[in-house]
Amino acid sequence: MNILLTGGAGYIGSHTAVALASAGHAVVLYDNFVNSSRSVLAALQTITGAQPVCIEADVRDTARLAEVLGSHSIDAVIHFAGLKAVGESIEKPVEYYSTNVQGTISLLQAMQATGLHSLVFSSSATVYGDPQYLPIDEAHPTSATNPYGRSKLHIEEILADCARSDASWRIACLRYFNPVGAHASGLIGENPNGMPNNLMPFVARVAAGRLPRLRVFGNDYSTPDGTGVRDYIHVMDLAEGHLAALDFLTHASGWHAINLGTGQGHSVLDMVRSFEAASGKTVPFDFAPRRPGDIAACYARVDKASDLLHWQARRDLATMCQSTWHHIQSSST
Ligand code: NAD
Ligand code: UD1
């Protein structure tokens, strides 16, 4: 199939481009590089052996999107393009709603104009808010506490309305848990600008000596070791989940919300220990107060992905840490 990846130059998009290319799909990236680097294109060429097709444009440019959908005979879209930093979304809500919500509406208009109805959307476990029970299944109530999370909820609802209005739509909202790790080549991975907000890139930079110490936000949660527990999923497993979702949409219509996680929770201290083992480095840390807005534990029930997509995560925590370490060493300057 010919697949358009909005935000395809980003962290998850670039890994998904590799998985799709290996499965024989033709991939078109569509990105404005607001949070990614053009150097990803050379890395993708090295990994896949083919020069990636990339359109540099904004997802809110509906006319350009429609033109690209038509001229590349696109069969399905995976919509990664969006802004994703929770703290920034509280400071700049208009930018977040514009890029995420308006961007999705623009994409839907372009798809409608070209008669295309197959869409995989990057949603997030953030739509579950503070978990009422664990593991979290897709029937868990949804809520949002910040503009980023609210933008994901609004988009999911808009997509559900589309599917209710027209039976031609085939939409999978993939609710990612905590994507980490990198492609085995080390050539692509997560490269946040400035200070990382998320745990894994922070731990990696401490191990590499680029940051002095990790602050562990809270050691008094009601979890086995008192630190926060999350469902970390290898980005290549996540990428393969998109491939499975595209296959699913070839025979399923309507709107589907599906968790992509491993079903396993790991604490901050588990992550530190695994990263130390993978890197052979020490990760010095201090306990610090809880981070505002954080939850104690969050991990997925993954039966729906297994039943509908015939997909499950295969890579373990050691592989997540080893690939992150390989990437940070390959990209260190
Ligand atoms: P990323 O920032 O690496 O990738 C997003 C890409 O979208 C970037 O390349 C960026 O340049 C592009 N983009 C942003 N605004 C655009 C616009 N207006 N027009 C065109 N391109 C635009 O992020 P990621 O981690 O790869 O996340 C991809 C998607 O998955 C996002 O929608 C994010 O909200 C969602 N998600 C990510 C995580 C995570 O932890 N990484 C978790 C849950 C959900
Ligand atoms: C973050 C996002 C969430 C997003 C998710 C997936 C926030 C507030 N939430 O959540 O919207 O869907 O990523 O990528 O940004 N930790 C430390 N020290 C650090 C960094 C993190 O102890 O320097 C701890 C956190 O307190 C948490 C765990 O590590 O217990 C994971 O944190 P993080 O990687 O930021 O992910 P989430 O909190 O799940």
Side-chain angles (χ1 to χ4, degrees), residues 53-178:
V53 178
C54 182
I55 314 297
E56 183 167 347
D58 196 297
V59 76
R60 291 163 292 187
D61 185 342
T62 314
R64 189 73 202 282
L65 264 176
E67 183 267 311
V68 170
L69 294 177
S71 61
H72 291 272
S73 305
I74 296 298
D75 299 301
V77 178
I78 309 183
H79 182 36
F80 298 103
L83 301 177
K84 62 168 183 176
V86 171
E88 188 184 58
S89 80
I90 296 167
E91 288 158 24
K92 301 176 180 172
V94 177
E95 278 187 32
Y96 271 68
Y97 289 122
S98 172
T99 302
N100 294 4
V101 180
Q102 193 180 331
T104 303
I105 293 171
S106 165
L107 173 63
L108 292 168
Q109 288 170 328
M111 291 179 72
Q112 278 181 330
T114 50
L116 180 61
H117 293 96
S118 287
L119 175 63
V120 176
F121 170 62
S122 296
S123 190
S124 167
T126 193
V127 301
Y128 295 121
D130 199 348
Q132 295 175 14
Y133 57 84
L134 292 167
I136 303 175
D137 60 19
E138 291 82 353
H140 186 287
T142 53
S143 64
T145 53
N146 56 68
Y148 167 70
R150 221 166 345 264
S151 75
K152 292 292 178 192
L153 268 185
H154 286 334
I155 294 165
E156 283 206 359
E157 287 164 359
I158 291 166
L159 296 177
D161 283 339
C162 287
R164 275 190 284 268
S165 74
D166 179 348
S168 314
W169 282 106
R170 299 157 178 266
I171 299 174
C173 292
L174 301 181
R175 294 174 174 168
Y176 311 154
F177 279 66
N178 289 59

Side-chain angles (χ1 to χ4, degrees), residues 86 124 178 197-199 215-217 228 230 232 268 291 294:
V86 171
S124 167
N178 289 59
N197 294 313
N198 296 113
L199 180 65
R215 287 193 304 152
V216 175
F217 297 137
R230 298 289 184 275
Y232 298 96
V268 177
R291 185 172 62 177
D294 263 1

Side-chain angles (χ1 to χ4, degrees), residues 126-309:
T126 193
V127 301
Y128 295 121
D130 199 348
Q132 295 175 14
Y133 57 84
L134 292 167
I136 303 175
D137 60 19
E138 291 82 353
H140 186 287
T142 53
S143 64
T145 53
N146 56 68
Y148 167 70
R150 221 166 345 264
S151 75
K152 292 292 178 192
L153 268 185
H154 286 334
I155 294 165
E156 283 206 359
E157 287 164 359
I158 291 166
L159 296 177
D161 283 339
C162 287
R164 275 190 284 268
S165 74
D166 179 348
S168 314
W169 282 106
R170 299 157 178 266
I171 299 174
C173 292
L174 301 181
R175 294 174 174 168
Y176 311 154
F177 279 66
N178 289 59
V180 296
H183 185 260
S185 64
L187 294 174
I188 52 173
E190 192 174 15
N191 284 315
N193 293 327
M195 193 65 83
N197 294 313
N198 296 113
L199 180 65
M200 185 66 126
F202 204 105
V203 167
R205 286 187 195 188
V206 173
R210 294 203 225 161
L211 288 171
R213 299 176 83 77
L214 171 72
R215 287 193 304 152
V216 175
F217 297 137
N219 62 345
D220 57 352
Y221 286 111
S222 57
T223 59
D225 65 19
T227 67
V229 166
R230 298 289 184 275
D231 186 340
Y232 298 96
I233 174 169
H234 195 296
V235 67
M236 286 309 299
D237 277 328
L238 196 70
E240 288 161 13
H242 292 76
L243 194 57
L246 286 174
D247 286 344
F248 168 66
L249 292 182
T250 60
H251 59 82
S253 60
W255 178 96
H256 307 269
I258 304 171
N259 289 342
L260 292 188
T262 64
Q264 305 287 316
H266 292 288
S267 73
V268 177
L269 297 184
D270 290 337
M271 295 298 282
V272 169
R273 279 189 288 268
S274 290
F275 210 91
E276 287 182 334
S279 62
K281 304 286 181 186
T282 303
V283 177
F285 65 86
D286 301 303
F287 290 118
R290 293 180 179 192
R291 185 172 62 177
D294 263 1
I295 53 181
C298 174
Y299 49 92
R301 181 173 284 282
V302 292
D303 304 40
K304 193 169 176 184
S306 172
D307 293 347
L308 295 186
L309 308 185

